[in-house]
Amino acid sequence: MDTYRHRHIILKVLKIAVGSCLAIAIAEFFALQYAASAGIITLLTVQDTRKGTMQLALDRIMSFLMSIVLIFLCFHATSRLGWINYGSYIFLMVIGCYYFEWQNAVSVNAVMGTHYLMSPDYSLGFALSELFLVLIGTGVAMALNWKMPSSLKVIRQDMKRIEDAMQQVLREISGYLADSQSGELVWLDLDMLETDIHKGLKRAHEQAHNTMAEEDLYYVGYMEMRLQQCVMLQTLRERVWKIREMPRQAEPVSRYLDYVADYVHEETVPGEQLEKLGQVFEQMKREPLPVTREEFENRAILYHVLMDLEEFLFVKQRFSQSGLKRPDDL
C-alpha cells in the first residue's frame, strides 16, 4: 500500500470514529430515542469523496421518506404480527431502494424498521425523531467530508512517473525491433505502467469528486488518455511479438519509436510527430515488394504497428483539442 493510500485510510478511520461519537452526542443532547443509531448512520455515510458523501446523504433522506410510508403500511395498517410485519417491510423497502438506486441506504432503513418493531409508536413525534437521527448522522458525515485534502501533488507525481514509464516502454519496443533488446522487459514494464495509470486515474477521480471543480476534470481526462494509449501499446506489443524474423524495414520503425519517446510529455501536441509518421509510411511504400510469404507477413505486421502508432498519437491529439483547460499550477 502506497503512502498516499495509507494516509487516506487513516484519515477516513479518524473521521468515522470522531463523527460517530459526535453524532451520538448530538442525538443524546436532544434526547432522541435510539441515539446510537445516529453514530451508525455517520459511519455508513462517510465516503472517500465529498461528492460521494453528499450523494449518499441525499439517498438516505429520500429513502427515509419512502420507508416511513412502508412502515405505516406494514406495521400500522395491518395486523400486528411482529417479525412477519418486519419481513414484509424489508421486502418492499429493499425492492424500492434497488428500484430508485438507493442500495446504500438499505442498512439504515432496516435498522429504522427494528425501532418500530421494538417500539410500536406510529406518532408524528416518533417519525420526526427517526428523521432527526438520519439528519444528524448524514449532517455530521457531510461536515467531516466538506473539506478534503488535495491530491494534486500526488497526481502530478503520477503524471511524471507515467510519462517516464511510457517513454521507457517505447524505447524497449524500439530496441526489440532493432534486435538489440529482449522483449521480456516490455512485458513487465508495460504491465507496471498500466497499474500505475489505473492508480492515477482513481486519484484523479477522487480529486474531481472532492473539489467538484471543472479544472480538475483535466486530470481525469489526462489519465483516461494515457490509459487508452497504454491499451494501444499492449496491442502493439502483441503484434511485434509475432514477428518471426526482423526484416530490415523494422529499422526505420525502430528509429521512429525512439523519436516518439522524446515527445510523450503532457504538454506536447503531436502535430510534427504525425507528419514524420507520414514520411515513414511513404518510405515503407517505396520498399520493394516482399518475395516470400514470411517476409510478407512480417512486413504486414510492421505496417499495422505504424497504424497503431498513428492512433496512439491521435489519442493525444484529441485530448489536446478536447477543450479541457490545463491548470495554471502544473
Side-chain angles (χ1 to χ4, degrees):
M1 185 184 299
D2 57 35
T3 304
Y4 168 83
R5 180 55 55 186
H6 186 70
R7 289 201 303 266
H8 188 83
I9 291 174
I10 290 177
L11 179 60
K12 184 177 180 180
V13 170
L14 286 173
K15 286 181 177 181
I16 289 173
V18 173
S20 297
C21 293
L22 181 59
I24 293 173
I26 294 172
E28 287 182 345
F29 176 80
F30 288 104
L32 298 177
Q33 294 187 56
Y34 305 109
S37 296
I40 299 299
I41 293 171
T42 297
L43 181 152
L44 295 173
T45 306
V46 172
Q47 300 294 294
D48 291 332
T49 65
R50 182 170 64 148
K51 182 178 180 181
T53 301
M54 292 175 65
Q55 183 60 55
L56 184 52
L58 179 61
D59 290 348
R60 293 210 190 288
I61 294 171
M62 297 299 294
S63 67
F64 171 85
L65 299 177
M66 177 195 71
S67 297
I68 285 293
V69 175
L70 294 178
I71 284 173
F72 180 82
L73 294 175
C74 295
F75 285 86
H76 184 57
T78 60
S79 300
R80 296 186 181 181
L81 301 174
W83 61 269
I84 296 179
N85 296 101
Y86 181 74
S88 301
Y89 161 71
I90 291 294
F91 178 77
L92 295 174
M93 182 269 292
V94 172
I95 289 178
C97 285
Y98 272 84
Y99 179 80
F100 291 108
E101 297 184 350
W102 298 331
Q103 294 93 323
N104 289 332
V106 167
S107 55
V108 171
N109 294 332
V111 171
M112 186 177 68
T114 63
H115 295 171
Y116 277 91
L117 179 64
M118 292 183 290
S119 301
D121 183 350
Y122 306 105
S123 65
L124 177 60
F126 191 81
L128 289 175
S129 175
E130 293 292 303
L131 175 60
F132 289 149
L133 290 176
V134 173
L135 293 177
I136 291 170
T138 56
V140 170
M142 286 194 293
L144 290 172
N145 269 7
W146 191 256
K147 184 64 176 177
M148 298 290 286
S150 174
S151 305
L152 289 182
K153 183 178 179 180
V154 180
I155 292 172
R156 293 190 198 103
Q157 293 171 351
D158 289 339
M159 293 168 67
K160 180 64 169 60
R161 183 169 58 253
I162 287 167
E163 289 171 1
D164 291 344
M166 192 164 283
Q167 281 185 317
Q168 181 67 22
V169 168
L170 286 167
R171 291 198 171 102
E172 287 170 355
I173 297 175
S174 172
Y176 180 74
L177 287 173
D179 274 339
S180 63
Q181 189 168 330
S182 168
E184 294 179 1
L185 285 176
V186 181
W187 256 251
L188 178 62
D189 291 344
L190 192 49
D191 290 341
M192 291 176 61
L193 171 62
E194 184 176 5
T195 299
D196 286 341
I197 294 174
H198 279 293
K199 289 180 180 178
L201 180 59
K202 183 177 180 180
R203 277 195 269 265
H205 276 295
E206 288 178 354
Q207 174 69 15
H209 287 167
N210 282 331
T211 64
M212 291 184 280
E214 186 176 354
E215 64 179 15
D216 285 333
L217 294 176
Y218 176 88
Y219 302 110
V220 177
Y222 174 88
M223 292 297 177
E224 289 176 344
M225 178 269 294
R226 290 304 186 194
L227 185 58
Q228 290 181 57
Q229 287 189 316
C230 183
V231 170
M232 289 168 190
L233 289 179
Q234 297 275 12
T235 301
L236 193 152
R237 176 185 68 175
E238 296 294 335
R239 292 194 196 282
V240 299
W241 190 253
K242 293 178 182 177
I243 299 178
R244 297 184 181 89
E245 183 178 349
M246 287 297 170
R248 72 181 170 78
Q249 288 81 9
E251 183 181 351
V253 179
S254 172
R255 287 200 307 268
Y256 182 77
L257 277 163
D258 202 48
Y259 158 76
V260 167
D262 292 331
Y263 297 93
V264 164
H265 296 296
E266 172 256 345
E267 65 273 8
T268 303
V269 180
E272 183 180 341
Q273 290 72 52
L274 284 167
E275 291 180 8
K276 287 187 178 294
L277 180 59
Q279 296 172 10
V280 178
F281 270 117
E282 290 299 321
Q283 181 180 347
M284 292 284 284
K285 290 178 182 178
R286 291 194 296 268
E287 290 288 331
L289 293 174
V291 178
T292 65
R293 179 183 179 87
E294 184 177 9
E295 185 182 359
F296 172 81
E297 291 174 349
N298 292 337
R299 292 265 294 276
I301 292 173
L302 284 177
Y303 194 81
H304 278 289
V305 166
L306 291 176
M307 294 175 66
D308 290 337
L309 285 171
E310 184 178 45
E311 185 58 29
F312 177 87
L313 294 174
F314 278 146
V315 168
K316 180 66 179 298
Q317 187 180 62
R318 287 193 292 268
F319 169 72
S320 301
Q321 299 171 348
S322 65
L324 290 172
K325 184 180 178 181
R326 183 172 182 266
D328 296 331
D329 57 352
L330 273 179

